[in-house]
Amino acid sequence: MSSTSFRIRRSAPADAAGLVCLMEDEEVFGNLMQLPFPSLALWAERLGRAPEPDRCELSLVAERGTELVASAGLYPAAPHLRRRHAAMLGLCVAPAAQRQGIGRALMQTLCNYADGWAQVLRIELTVFADNAPAIALYRRFGFETEGTHRAYALRGGRYVDALSMARLHPQPPSLPATPRGAAAPAATP
């Protein structure tokens, strides 16, 4: 297996230990809203929760051999009916696995899921303003900066700005055109 060969799959409760290893790296947790010293019990509990039915939730991992090297997810932005069209995206890749197409493949998978299956019109994310590689990846997928959050979060003893980015569905679904008064085409058996 080459160093760039990897597999993407849905996360499972058994991934808790792998996520703890991923989140223990300061380059990973420092660019997320995670804290040092991740808890195995917390990750096991998170991964053990069943997704709520009829929600746009999808949690993925990427593995190279038996090593979990990345995690990504799409989650409802809010429980409110008027925000049902929006989802939040999160992504992290182990430093040794960066710039090998894993982040791009996870982004493509999540965007395809959002666009083709989950009825998501708007994908939102927050990224630290100094994380240039992540920002470049998000822009390649159509995300645009919508604003800057000054002193957004404490990281290593310093407050760091973050960008609010979002992507609208590039081709929102629509109904096929039917002439006014005409019957809809019959379904074929």
Side-chain angles (χ1 to χ4, degrees), residues 108-174:
Q108 189 66 62
T109 302
L110 290 175
C111 287
N112 289 347
Y113 176 79
D115 294 346
W117 301 99
Q119 297 186 45
V120 173
L121 176 66
R122 176 183 170 83
I123 303 174
E124 304 170 351
L125 60 86
T126 304
V127 60
F128 285 112
D130 61 359
N131 191 344
I135 294 167
L137 174 66
Y138 301 143
R139 286 192 174 131
R140 280 195 294 275
F141 281 87
F143 284 80
E144 296 180 15
T145 301
E146 294 186 332
T148 301
H149 299 278
R150 300 290 318 249
Y152 182 75
L154 187 66
R155 181 178 67 191
R158 297 181 62 217
Y159 287 102
V160 183
D161 293 350
L163 303 179
S164 175
M165 299 182 78
R167 167 195 181 268
L168 295 179
H169 192 307
Q171 298 176 326
S174 61

Side-chain angles (χ1 to χ4, degrees), residues 7-11 15 59-63 68 70-71 106:
R7 178 174 83 109
I8 294 174
R9 62 172 174 77
R10 184 180 285 270
S11 65
D15 294 321
S59 176
L60 302 172
V61 294
E63 56 188 4
L68 195 146
S71 173
L106 284 164

Side-chain angles (χ1 to χ4, degrees), residues 10 49-52 54-59 74-76 113 118:
R10 184 180 285 270
R49 280 187 230 139
E52 292 186 36
D54 300 325
R55 293 187 68 187
C56 66
E57 193 168 315
L58 179 63
S59 176
L74 193 67
Y75 308 96
Y113 176 79

